[in-house]
Structures are given as C-alpha cells and as structure tokens.
Amino acid sequence: MLRALSIAAAAAIAAVGVAVAAGDAEHPHDYPFSFDSPVGGYDMGEVQRGFQVYQQVCASCHGMDNLAYRHLGEKGGPFALYMVRDHDTGELTPHVGKPAHGGRFVPVTENPYVRAIASNVMIADIDPSSGMETERAGRPEDYFRNPFPNEIAARATNGGAYPVDLSVITLARHGGADYIRSLLLGYDGESNGALHHNKYFPGGWIAMPPPLIEGAVAYADGTETTVEQYATDVTAFLQWAADPHMETRKRTGIIVLAFLLMLAGVLYLAYKQVWRGESH
Ligand code: HEC
C-alpha cells in the first residue's frame, strides 16, 4: 500500500514536472479525426493526400526511417490496390484503397502505384561495378529516402535544430494527432529569423519555418488546397504510419467483445439449468 502510494506520488510529481517544462504551450485543438472513435478507421483519401503532402513538403527536412515504399501498398495501406468486378460490364477495374466490399488484393510487387511512387525518388546506393557511391531510382522495397546523410548534416542545414524522424511522431508526442495538426496550424507570422512563434510548441518558439502554404500541393481529387486541409491530411498520414494495423486491432477487439458477451450468455443459461429447482 505504502509502496503504491509512493509510486503514485512520484508519478504526480513527474507529471507536474512535465507540465512545468512544457511551459505556456496551448492545449491542442481537439479535431474529430475519423480514427478517434473505438470503431473508427482511416479515411484513406485523407491518408493518400497526406502522403502527397509529406512527400512534397515535409520530406525535404524530415525522414521516416521505419517506412518502406512497399508499406504504402500492403493491406491496410493508402495505396493498396484491389481489382473490383463491375456488376454491369463484368470487367475488372483497379481500385486504390480497400473497396467497401469485395475486390481481389493485388500483391505489392505488382502494384504500379507503389512502383511509380518509389521510382520518383532517388536513393543513395553503391554502383555494383565500380563500387562508387551513386544514386538510382527507388524500388518498392527501399525504405523512405532520408533527406540528410546524418544528424550533423540535418542540424547544420536547420540552424542547429533537428528535424525529428516522423515515423512514429503521433505516438511520441503528448496530444498525438491533435498536437501535430495544431502545431502545423499554430503559426501567427511572428518570427525572429531563426525561430518562429507557435503557441502549441512547448516554449512557444520553434525552429521549423511554417511548412504549409495554401495551394502549394495540387490535389487530383478536387479537395480544397488550404493550409488547414493539408494539416489534417498530413496528420492522418502520420497517424497511419505510426499505427498501420489500428483497423485490424479494433476489428479484433469487437469480435473478442462479441464472443465474451455470447459466452456470458451461455454461462448464465447453464447456471440457470444447473441450479433449476434448487433453493439457494
Ligand atoms: C525546412 C525544413 C522543414 C520542413 C519543410 C518541415 N519541417 Fe518539421 N521541423 C523542422 C525542424 C528544424 C524541426 C525542429 C524544431 C525545433 O526543435 O525547434 C521540426 C520539427 C517538427 C516536429 C516536432 C515538433 C515537436 O514537438 O518536437 C514535427 C511534428 C514536424 N516538424 C512536422 C513537420 C511536418 C508534418 C512537415 C510537413 C508538412 C514539416 N515538419 C516540414 C524542419 C522542417
């Protein structure tokens, strides 16, 4: 008991410490993401557009070392390809992202979208004949290109600040997706050259210049190209990257719950049967 109390006290002190260290940062805006609820999944259109924003904007400073291009096309990925049979014509048509029902999953190695995404990126490699360093077009099995060869180079280009790896950033920050989205929208134009005022960043001043500019990324699906939309989309992509199996996990959870409920019902009936006629 005493031990439990002292652990609780230590935790409380640590929490206060973190709150103080966080300074005057504003509480993130609670945005209703599709994945927030216990049964909610990803909006794959959002995740696809978010990848585009990452690729065209964030990837010039931030790596995502845990991700390979092939992950984008695996089951549950934003560019997973399915062949769906048209009811009227009987023809098979490609569908990017899981269709509402049916569809045959196309293995990543045969997914032209993933191959195109990878081949648009130049990856550092060793030339097999000369042994010299070279660059080649990316392949689905390559991990995401890191914009810098090492942390020293990354800091040297960013005024001493380090653009963190974004692979699991929504899990690594208090406030998760809401914090990331708020941070991207938290600039007010105030800057001293090296640092930019952002009310959601602990301490209030961040070395990252406002990365999102209205209209800078062209969307093919007609979605509006505002800073707010970019922030929502790229955050959804970062959440998917950090937790790609969330949908399966939630589904399994629901099946387990349904099973337990059924089991409880059966046990109750068995109990009634066994004790029928007994006074207790
Ligand atoms: C010009 C380079 C640059 C670009 C482009 C850029 N960032 Fe950053 N980012 C940085 C730097 C530098 C830091 C470290 C800031 C600091 O520590 O003050 C950072 C920090 C961050 C952080 C961590 C904040 C924290 O709580 O520690 C997140 C999240 C982030 N960036 C997301 C993004 C996203 C998403 C994009 C694309 C929309 C993006 N960044 C584009 C340079 C960049």
Side-chain angles (χ1 to χ4, degrees):
M1 179 66 185
L2 210 61
R3 202 180 133 82
L5 271 181
S6 60
I7 289 174
I13 291 167
V16 169
V18 169
V20 169
D24 51 1
E26 193 153 316
H27 198 73
H29 173 68
D30 184 8
Y31 182 80
F33 282 107
S34 64
F35 46 79
D36 277 347
S37 90
V39 291
Y42 292 116
D43 172 340
M44 278 306 169
E46 214 169 69
V47 178
Q48 285 163 8
R49 293 190 302 271
F51 167 71
Q52 203 190 336
V53 175
Y54 166 74
Q55 190 73 341
Q56 291 180 18
V57 182
C58 325
S60 57
C61 295
H62 292 276
M64 290 187 83
D65 288 350
N66 292 4
L67 257 79
Y69 296 105
R70 69 183 162 80
H71 291 145
L72 299 167
E74 284 175 355
K75 280 184 184 171
F79 295 95
L81 182 62
Y82 292 81
M83 296 308 285
V84 184
R85 195 171 294 283
D86 188 294
H87 275 311
D88 301 326
T89 64
E91 252 176 68
L92 282 174
T93 47
H95 190 284
V96 181
K98 186 152 178 49
H101 35 246
R104 185 180 57 82
F105 175 71
V106 179
V108 186
T109 46
E110 292 158 31
N111 183 321
Y113 299 91
V114 172
R115 199 169 301 169
I117 287 169
S119 68
N120 270 326
V121 182
M122 293 308 282
I123 300 282
D125 204 349
I126 303 290
D127 186 299
S129 51
S130 69
M132 302 300 276
E133 284 181 6
T134 178
E135 285 205 323
R136 58 161 173 84
R139 298 189 282 253
E141 66 269 26
D142 285 320
Y143 277 76
F144 276 27
R145 175 198 158 89
N146 195 304
F148 300 106
N150 52 57
E151 184 173 338
I152 302 169
R155 284 189 190 277
T157 331
N158 285 282
Y162 182 54
V164 286
D165 187 276
L166 295 181
S167 307
V168 291
I169 193 74
T170 62
L171 303 179
R173 288 293 179 277
H174 185 70
D178 284 334
Y179 166 69
I180 305 297
R181 183 177 175 279
S182 294
L183 182 76
L184 294 171
L185 296 173
Y187 295 91
D188 55 13
E190 206 184 328
S191 164
N192 66 8
L195 296 175
H196 311 269
H197 189 243
N198 188 314
K199 61 184 173 189
Y200 296 105
F201 190 63
W205 293 87
I206 187 166
M208 170 168 71
L212 297 172
I213 300 163
E214 183 162 342
V217 178
Y219 282 158
D221 66 358
T223 304
E224 54 176 7
T225 53
T226 58
V227 169
E228 191 169 341
Q229 188 66 46
Y230 291 151
T232 306
D233 292 347
V234 78
T235 303
F237 168 68
L238 294 175
Q239 179 73 27
W240 169 80
D243 194 4
H245 304 300
M246 176 201 71
E247 293 181 339
T248 321
R249 198 175 60 242
K250 283 181 179 174
R251 222 168 16 242
T252 311
I254 290 168
I255 293 169
V256 168
L257 272 183
F259 173 77
L260 287 177
L261 269 177
M262 222 173 60
L263 185 69
V266 169
L267 286 179
Y268 179 71
L269 291 178
Y271 157 84
K272 291 293 260 188
Q273 180 73 18
V274 168
W275 291 92
R276 194 174 40 185
E278 300 282 337
S279 61
H280 59 283

